[in-house]
Amino acid sequence: MRTWTPPVIPKLPGNAPALRLFNTATGRLEHPPIHEGRATLYVCGITPYDATHLGHAFTYLAFDLMLRAWRDAGVETVYAQNITDVDDPLLERANDTGVDWRELADGQIALFRSDMFRLGMIPPEHYIAVTEAIEPIAQAVQELRERGLAYAVPTADAAGDDIYFDTVRAEADTQWRLGDVAPYERSVMELLSAERGGDPERPGKHDPLDPLLWRAAREGEPSWGTVLGLGRPGWHIECAAIAVQALGNAFTVQGGGHDLIFPHHEYTAAHATALSGTPLAHIYAHAGLVGYQGHKMSKSRGNLVFVHKVLDAGADPSAVRLGLLAHHYREEWEWEDADLEVASRRLAAWREGLSRPAAVAADLGDSAELAGSAQPMVAAAIVERLRAAMANDLDTPVMLATLDEAWDRGVDDPELLADAAQSLLGVALRPVEAD
């Protein structure tokens, strides 16, 4: 699957410190292991049945920052992302609207690419749709069956059987244990499973938490002929197969929104570990959820702020980024309609600071209004402060406050600071030249 044109990322002088990230699986800040100067990142992609909203953008922005931090530190990055382009929500939306599911998916994937390009997100090197990987996914399920880690459940409305992952057997026979990724009590897992695509009450399952690996073909649903017969993959095995195919085991970071910790990332790790004998990833990183009008943004509730509508209404993409960057990536928060106005004012102040020549900035340094500073701030020192905050679990609120102070007081090298804003935060302060 094609991606989108990458943004321009200026090269900054000096050296960045090693990145530390919060690992959901351990509850600690850790240095992701960099092997031979390379880091690998897998982020779960969209289910393309509706447009990208600001909650999605907040998640993908977090991992865009991670890639920028690594690249600034001289680390080679390899980024993979999937597209869940066949799944129940997509099929239900297609049926409700009378649109072919493939047409619906294609349209929303194109819109997502456009949104990511306009927001200046770094594209993945591997961008793989589930429909492009049906056979490898089916082979993975077959391998789990042969190892005794999967079992069939008879299905009255299908020609074949559904296939489920045996969590109890996997805990006994592999290195994975339930809770390795998700630090939750079992009662919470059962509740989340029911809310997030699981079927804990399905008759015939060995354990309520056993996840679906393969759904046998039903009338009116898309299916593919594979070693398992006609059907389509379950959710978690899709990402396990695609991630390992693109990045191998164990890759550096598995990323996504906080709502993916369980069941999705728990079972993606379980499947991959069962297949390879090694953990899926070293670090599990999760972005906080964004609310609007008192509730988490969700398609089911309909309280969405769509990226393309905000941009089409005239918002500067850098202002949108600043509105999101004002919150730490692990924070759960609520978007307010005034947030974009605040971010736009901040962007205008930064751009005004850039337009002020360094010599003028030095004159401004004598003003009593500038907290007693007699000289402009040294841009190179500001860049190092930005890098330190970035390396500290992507602390963007500190980075924004640092830049607010610098542009307000004036700097000796405005161009270097503009490069830093664009390189580290993806915020463009210079006019965009027409093609």
Side-chain angles (χ1 to χ4, degrees):
M1 183 74 68
R2 67 182 180 87
T3 57
W4 54 91
T5 304
V8 174
I9 302 178
K11 175 67 176 173
L12 301 177
N15 299 306
L19 177 64
R20 290 195 311 161
L21 291 173
F22 183 82
N23 187 353
T24 301
T26 64
R28 298 191 302 265
L29 283 173
E30 300 176 12
H31 290 288
I34 306 301
H35 181 64
E36 296 181 349
R38 190 176 84 150
T40 46
L41 169 66
Y42 182 85
V43 178
C44 294
I46 59 168
T47 301
Y49 65 97
D50 210 340
T52 315
H53 58 70
L54 288 179
H56 294 137
F58 187 63
T59 294
Y60 294 113
L61 179 58
F63 299 102
D64 177 79
L65 295 172
M66 190 179 299
L67 292 168
R68 290 170 183 269
W70 275 329
R71 293 184 181 190
D72 182 51
V75 176
E76 177 190 358
T77 63
V78 183
Y79 177 23
Q81 190 181 127
N82 78 307
I83 309 168
T84 307
D85 62 340
V86 56
D87 199 16
D88 289 344
L90 171 65
L91 300 178
E92 290 165 4
R93 178 63 59 85
N95 184 63
D96 291 344
T97 57
V99 177
D100 182 83
W101 65 273
R102 300 173 189 82
E103 182 181 343
L104 175 61
D106 288 346
Q108 294 305 316
I109 293 167
L111 183 55
F112 175 76
R113 280 195 298 254
S114 173
D115 289 341
M116 295 298 100
F117 168 73
R118 294 170 77 183
L119 288 178
M121 303 289 193
I122 296 172
E125 285 80 16
H126 302 278
Y127 193 43
I128 304 170
V130 168
T131 55
E132 297 176 318
I134 295 293
E135 190 56 42
I137 296 169
Q139 290 288 350
V141 176
Q142 178 66 10
E143 188 172 341
L144 291 173
R145 292 189 72 179
E146 292 171 353
R147 296 184 182 188
L149 300 175
Y151 61 93
V153 173
T155 307
D157 60 344
D161 297 332
D162 292 338
I163 302 173
Y164 283 81
F165 185 70
D166 194 325
T167 55
V168 174
R169 182 71 179 271
E171 284 192 290
D173 294 352
T174 76
Q175 296 183 39
W176 170 80
R177 299 293 180 271
L178 185 65
D180 275 357
V181 175
Y184 303 143
E185 297 292 335
R186 182 182 172 91
S187 59
V188 175
M189 291 181 178
E190 290 183 358
L191 178 63
L192 292 175
S193 177
E195 291 178 348
R196 298 174 179 174
D199 53 0
E201 298 182 357
R202 168 75 188 267
K205 290 173 61 171
H206 293 180
D207 185 286
L209 289 180
D210 288 351
L212 179 70
L213 289 167
W214 185 260
R215 179 176 169 86
R218 269 76 163 173
E219 185 177 355
E221 293 185 3
S223 60
W224 289 262
T226 69
V227 294
L228 304 171
L230 284 173
R232 57 185 171 92
W235 182 22
H236 319 304
I237 190 64
E238 296 170 348
C239 274
I242 289 172
V244 172
Q245 174 184 324
L247 302 176
N249 284 71
F251 52 83
T252 311
V253 173
Q254 160 79 78
H258 190 271
D259 54 343
L260 297 184
I261 296 173
F262 191 88
H264 187 48
H265 285 173
E266 182 70 53
Y267 287 130
T268 300
H271 300 336
T273 302
L275 288 164
S276 70
T278 60
L280 175 69
H282 293 286
I283 301 281
Y284 294 86
H286 295 94
L289 304 181
V290 181
Y292 183 62
Q293 298 176 336
H295 300 277
K296 173 209 160 189
M297 283 192 199
S298 68
K299 296 182 175 74
S300 60
R301 189 174 290 276
N303 62 329
L304 303 177
V305 182
F306 292 117
V307 170
H308 75 279
K309 289 187 177 181
V310 172
L311 295 176
D312 289 348
D316 191 304
S318 288
V320 175
R321 286 183 74 107
L322 283 173
L324 301 175
L325 290 166
H327 302 270
H328 188 269
Y329 81 94
R330 288 194 284 117
E331 178 184 347
E332 295 206 358
W333 57 284
E334 184 163 334
W335 175 266
E336 302 286 349
D337 292 334
D339 286 352
L340 184 59
E341 181 181 347
V342 172
S344 297
R345 289 200 300 267
R346 170 175 264 151
L347 180 62
W350 288 10
R351 286 175 173 167
E352 193 278 331
L354 173 62
S355 68
R356 190 187 308 145
V360 175
D363 293 339
L364 288 176
D366 294 328
S367 171
E369 297 177 355
L370 297 178
S373 173
Q375 295 294 329
M377 300 182 76
V378 177
I382 296 299
V383 170
E384 296 314 304
R385 288 170 58 185
L386 294 174
R387 283 170 158 162
M390 188 84 148
N392 185 29
D393 198 30
L394 308 175
D395 196 343
T396 56
V398 168
M399 297 175 74
L400 298 198
T402 299
L403 284 165
D404 285 342
E405 179 190 16
W407 290 120
D408 183 54
R409 288 175 52 181
V411 292
D412 64 342
D413 189 348
E415 294 296 333
L416 174 59
L417 214 56
D419 280 348
Q422 186 165 345
S423 178
L424 301 178
L425 296 173
V427 174
L429 303 186
R430 301 180 182 91
V432 178
E433 296 182 1
D435 292 336

